[in-house]
Amino acid sequence: MQAQPRPASFGLPSDSGGRDLGIFMPMANGGWILSKNAPTLDGSYDYNLKAARLAEEIGLDFIMAMAKYRGYGGETQHWNASLDSPMMMAGLAQATSRVKVWATVHTILQNPAVVAKMIATLDQISHGRAGLNVVTGSYKGEFSQMGAWPEGVDHDERYVLATEWIQGIKALWTQDTVTMKGRYFTLDDCMSNPKPSAPPFLVCAGTSKVGIEFTANEMDALFLSGGNVDELAKASADAKAGAAEHGARIRTYSMMTVVFGETDEAAEETAASFRAGFDEGALHGMMRAYGFLDAEIGKENAFTQKARSTFMTPHVLGTPETVTARLSEIFDKTSLDGLMLIFPDYHAALPVFGEKVLPVLRERFPAQMENAHG
């Protein structure tokens, strides 16, 4: 089964040179800060509902939710409570009218025929705003607890599985019946109706050589990690060059936690308070989930060192003006097409971002087509 051509336009600013801005939904308790001193995020649907409505109200482009099945524990019981991603996004699609709604599914947990129907349903609820974040799976403990870890399927082989998976889904979205006999999935005269009204937006986070190849052939966008502007610039350039070798154009995004303060010093003091309440136990649980186990072998790596700041993603601190300057610098110096934003307290921060940061970013990095973000 061959890769199918992907659309060039999804009704996003990046269709025509703008920057896509959205939020990573806080659908698990604790958010993305490993600290006893961070604002309490309970991961509830009601909290997410208000955040989604604020994102739409201020003019963001998308909302996305991860999928998580086992938390990291520690004193804060970090991520021990989490909502189902597609079900939550279906509810938020009904509660919004413009933002794109992207749900996450792990390839090793769901049959492609099930996912094809799930996202087609999300497409109907959202009237064409649906997207799918594809996770190829790397958290053994998370899946072995439910007997779902495929032993013997290593990193590269998971992309073989994922390719069969997403190609089966795409075929079911576009063909009357699908017969596919792969190494991991079999579809026999399989039917899936209704079809999505438009191709759902597809995104993943694989940055290895096989991950880039998978993204180039099957996805529309790629989430990157990078601790500073130079690292993000290189990662984005390398990913786009890798995709170009396969004759594809991909959009690149990164995550960014934003901490506002009335002054830059106040924002730094907030970050210092987070660090003072660092949850070592939650970090240990995260390391176990990722397979690092640094605390047990007495070593540190870059990922661990970053997490010791309490922030699970890169972050910017300061007044709205400072944050605007930092985000502008990222877009000026990298080829990133957008950012997925995280806040310690979404309800408090989103109105500030919408009033003082977003209008400046829209003006500095405009989409060339009218209503490209609508």
Side-chain angles (χ1 to χ4, degrees):
M1 194 173 290
Q2 298 298 312
Q4 300 177 16
R6 299 298 296 161
S9 176
F10 288 93
L12 290 164
S14 60
D15 292 345
S16 55
R19 304 297 190 274
D20 305 336
L21 292 159
I23 56 172
F24 209 3
M25 302 304 298
M27 46 73 73
N29 69 294
W32 282 266
I33 299 175
L34 298 172
S35 176
K36 300 182 288 290
N37 295 341
T40 300
L41 295 183
D42 61 6
S44 67
Y45 180 75
D46 286 344
Y47 189 95
N48 280 270
L49 176 62
K50 183 173 180 179
R53 286 173 166 164
L54 282 169
E56 172 145 300
E57 180 182 320
I58 69 172
L60 293 179
D61 303 301
F62 67 88
I63 57 178
M64 191 179 100
M66 67 175 178
K68 181 58 62 176
Y69 298 93
R70 188 181 183 94
Y72 300 143
E75 187 174 342
T76 59
Q77 296 293 288
H78 195 84
W79 284 3
N80 278 26
S82 60
L83 300 178
D84 179 77
S85 183
M87 288 193 69
M88 187 184 83
M89 298 311 284
L92 299 182
Q94 180 67 34
T96 56
S97 62
R98 186 190 56 77
V99 289
K100 311 299 182 185
V101 286
W102 301 344
T104 296
V105 179
H106 291 269
T107 58
I108 65 176
L109 288 184
Q110 293 282 11
N111 184 278
V114 175
V115 180
K117 190 168 288 291
M118 287 165 58
I119 302 302
T121 303
L122 182 60
D123 171 80
Q124 279 207 6
I125 297 170
S126 67
H127 299 285
R129 294 179 284 135
L132 174 61
N133 176 41
V134 176
V135 178
T136 59
S138 60
Y139 317 112
K140 182 175 181 179
E142 192 165 341
F143 304 124
S144 61
Q145 68 174 353
M146 59 183 90
W149 182 253
E151 294 292 347
V153 181
D154 63 15
H155 173 275
D156 287 5
E157 189 65 17
R158 286 199 294 272
Y159 281 101
V160 176
L161 183 153
T163 298
E164 287 185 11
W165 187 85
I166 195 62
Q167 288 184 353
I169 290 170
K170 291 179 184 177
L172 289 165
W173 281 341
T174 56
Q175 299 175 23
D176 291 337
T177 68
V178 178
T179 295
M180 180 183 82
K181 298 189 185 301
R183 191 180 307 176
Y184 298 100
F185 300 104
T186 296
L187 302 175
D188 185 7
D189 192 26
C190 189
M191 301 177 66
S192 184
N193 292 297
K195 311 297 186 189
S197 61
F201 191 78
L202 301 177
V203 60
C204 69
T207 55
S208 63
K209 182 178 180 180
V210 292
I212 294 293
E213 182 176 358
F214 172 75
T215 304
N217 289 333
E218 307 294 348
M219 300 282 108
D220 302 303
L222 176 68
F223 279 105
L224 303 169
S225 61
N228 57 49
V229 173
D230 291 338
E231 290 174 359
L232 280 174
K234 184 178 187 308
S236 181
D238 289 349
K240 292 191 174 189
E245 291 177 3
H246 295 276
R249 175 220 171 186
I250 59 170
R251 302 161 206 242
T252 55
Y253 300 142
S254 187
M255 294 183 289
M256 188 65 60
T257 299
V258 175
V259 179
F260 287 125
E262 291 188 5
T263 64
D264 290 349
E265 292 75 19
E268 294 285 355
E269 289 173 4
T270 298
S273 174
F274 294 163
R275 288 192 293 273
F278 176 60
D279 189 340
E280 183 82 34
L283 174 66
H284 190 270
M286 182 195 297
M287 293 303 102
R288 178 182 290 109
Y290 278 91
F292 293 153
L293 293 173
D294 294 279
E296 295 180 6
I297 63 175
K299 294 181 179 179
E300 290 278 347
N301 61 26
F303 187 93
T304 310
Q305 291 165 2
K306 181 178 70 174
R308 288 194 182 282
S309 72
T310 77
F311 293 101
M312 298 169 70
T313 75
H315 57 277
V316 296
L317 315 171
T319 64
E321 293 73 23
T322 297
V323 168
T324 302
R326 291 288 307 282
L327 299 186
S328 296
E329 179 187 15
I330 290 171
F331 286 140
D332 277 330
K333 295 184 177 180
T334 74
S335 58
L336 285 180
D337 295 284
L339 289 171
M340 182 164 64
L341 303 167
I342 293 165
F343 301 97
D345 182 341
Y346 288 68
H347 296 175
L350 278 167
V352 177
F353 190 89
E355 178 184 356
K356 297 184 177 181
V357 180
L358 186 58
V360 181
L361 294 179
R362 294 294 193 206
E363 183 177 355
R364 290 181 181 173
F365 306 98
Q368 301 305 310
M369 294 172 58
E370 186 177 359
N371 296 325
H373 73 279

